[in-house]
Amino acid sequence: MAYKILAINPGSTSTKISLANDDEPVFVADIPHSREELSTFKKITDQFHFRKQVVIEELKKRNIPLDFDAVIGRGGLAKPVSSGVFTITEEMILDQQQAIHQHACDLGCMIADEIARDIPGCKSFIADPGVVDELEPEARISGSPLMPRACIWHALNQKAIGRRYAKDIGTKYEKLNLIICHLGGGISIAAHNHGRAIDANNALDGEGPFSPERAGSLPAADLIRLCFSGKYTESQLLGRVSGQAGLIAHLGTNDLREVMNWIKAGDKHAELIVSAMIWHVAKNIVAEGAVLYGKVDAILLTGGMAKSDYIIDRLKRRIEYLAPVHVYPGQDEMLALTENALAVLRGERVAKDY
């Protein structure tokens, strides 16, 4: 008998769910939420009952009974943890509710646990949340003791892509040195040293290259002056770092397809901004080569923007001298979640205590 696994991935503007028998998908659904719907909630955690009901209604609509072997949610941004699969606990849920960084992914463990607890024998998990921390000590130190470096990155997708590439070439992820770059609304770049991401940027709070929605690294003194200028509130400035930054700040949109159409029509300003984004992505990718002493087996490019030949072709020109470049377009977080839960159910991996 195959294991029935429900995966739940709450995102900023949608809730994705999937059902699989082992790793064979039965269905995948991406349920959009309008700004009007979400604006009625003051905090992300206030969306819990709304998002849970959306999942339940989708299952009812598809005549899916609640008899899963495991429910796995996308992990949140509460506190740094090691890489792996974690059994959901009350402590985890409480930490998510009180987390400094509020993101829709924080709801993943809450919804998964709520559904699983009413099903006899059903287990609830999260896997590789965005706060997975495997940094080397040197990577944690910034130029100010007041502000140590922390990573918030696309750990789930990067780890899954690392394992997938290793399987494709007939080896194990733990035997490789990889630089993996997730190209999405935020951009995260990590140096993977034999199964550990020993350096990664904070792709949420302002570090690394700018992206469609994030500012990336900014001139520190200018940012401080802006904070004390009296022109912006704290909330507005945080938005200028994450959410209303990058392409959307320069061009008024975070839709790369729209920007590509402008470039095709001869928009030189749009072309310059995208070229600058590629420039900074390449610079940050190559910088991770130094972390790995130049011994890089491959550079892996993934995420939604990896579907763009325009982006990938120009990026490759700047980085392929360092190591072979392989592209895994899009992000299959639902499959990654399913694979992690399945590995635990099969006894191939052990779920960790939170």
Side-chain angles (χ1 to χ4, degrees):
M1 293 289 291
Y3 289 110
K4 292 180 67 176
I5 301 169
L6 178 69
I8 301 169
N9 181 0
S12 299
T13 58
S14 71
T15 300
K16 294 178 183 176
I17 64 173
S18 70
L19 176 64
N21 291 328
D22 286 346
D23 55 358
E24 290 296 321
V26 175
F27 78 88
V28 178
D30 189 356
I31 307 159
H33 309 307
S34 68
R35 289 184 181 273
E36 289 73 26
E37 282 180 310
L38 299 182
S39 66
T40 61
F41 303 101
K42 289 184 178 179
K43 299 185 298 183
I44 293 290
T45 51
D46 293 342
Q47 299 176 19
F48 165 68
H49 293 290
F50 164 74
R51 298 259 194 166
K52 178 199 166 189
Q53 195 56 37
V54 161
V55 173
I56 297 297
E57 291 300 324
E58 186 68 23
L59 295 173
K60 283 182 180 178
K61 185 173 73 175
R62 296 174 181 268
N63 296 314
I64 304 295
L66 300 179
D67 61 352
F68 314 113
D69 295 291
V71 184
I72 184 166
R74 183 179 174 190
L77 305 178
K79 67 179 184 182
V81 294
S82 60
S83 176
V85 183
F86 292 83
T87 299
I88 297 173
T89 64
E90 290 296 330
E91 181 185 357
M92 179 189 297
I93 292 171
L94 183 61
D95 282 350
Q96 293 299 167
Q97 292 170 338
Q98 299 175 345
I100 294 173
H101 296 100
Q102 292 290 307
H103 188 277
C105 63
D106 297 336
L107 299 169
C109 70
M110 303 178 200
I111 300 172
D113 180 69
E114 187 85 0
I115 292 174
R117 69 172 55 193
D118 292 330
I119 304 171
C122 183
K123 301 179 184 300
S124 61
F125 306 116
I126 65 166
D128 286 333
V131 286
V132 165
D133 186 343
E134 302 170 322
L135 300 185
E136 286 290 305
E138 293 88 342
R140 302 180 192 282
I141 298 172
S142 77
S144 170
L146 298 174
M147 292 174 280
R149 290 188 69 240
C151 55
I152 299 178
W153 59 299
H154 301 89
L156 178 65
N157 194 43
Q158 286 209 26
K159 291 279 184 177
I161 292 301
R163 294 188 192 101
R164 198 164 303 163
Y165 171 72
K167 184 178 180 181
D168 288 347
I169 63 171
T171 187
K172 292 185 177 181
Y173 164 65
E174 291 77 12
K175 292 185 176 181
L176 297 172
N177 271 0
L178 302 169
I179 299 173
I180 306 180
C181 174
H182 178 105
L183 297 160
I187 295 174
S188 66
I189 302 165
H192 297 248
N193 183 358
H194 296 89
R196 291 176 54 242
I198 62 172
D199 191 35
N201 65 306
N202 185 331
L204 179 67
D205 278 347
E207 190 181 44
F210 72 84
S211 71
E213 299 176 358
R214 314 278 160 75
S217 299
L218 294 169
D222 288 342
L223 181 58
I224 292 169
R225 293 185 189 102
L226 202 60
C227 291
F228 287 91
S229 68
K231 296 179 180 179
Y232 304 96
T233 65
E234 178 184 359
S235 177
Q236 288 172 329
L237 283 173
L238 287 172
R240 295 297 180 104
V241 170
S242 179
Q244 296 297 316
L247 293 189
I248 198 168
H250 283 286
L251 301 175
T253 181
N254 59 0
D255 188 336
L256 187 66
R257 293 166 298 183
E258 186 176 11
V259 175
M260 288 297 102
N261 287 334
W262 295 346
I263 292 174
K264 287 178 184 176
D267 188 327
K268 293 301 182 183
H269 179 62
E271 183 179 358
L272 173 62
I273 298 302
V274 171
S275 178
M277 182 177 68
I278 294 168
W279 175 294
H280 290 287
V281 171
K283 184 171 67 174
N284 281 264
I285 287 174
V286 172
E288 296 295 1
V291 171
L292 297 171
Y293 294 95
K295 297 176 182 177
V296 184
D297 294 301
I299 299 169
L300 309 183
L301 305 178
T302 184
M305 285 198 293
K307 296 177 181 178
S308 168
D309 291 339
Y310 184 97
I311 298 288
I312 294 302
D313 290 347
R314 285 160 177 76
L315 187 53
K316 275 185 173 181
R317 291 179 207 167
R318 294 189 178 277
I319 63 175
E320 59 189 354
Y321 75 89
L322 180 61
V325 179
H326 301 270
V327 183
Y328 290 80
Q331 56 181 24
D332 204 340
E333 291 178 329
M334 308 313 291
L335 177 58
L337 288 169
T338 299
E339 289 174 341
N340 275 285
L342 182 60
V344 173
L345 294 175
R346 286 176 169 173
E348 297 167 357
R349 300 176 72 184
V350 176
K352 297 181 177 181
D353 295 326
Y354 179 73

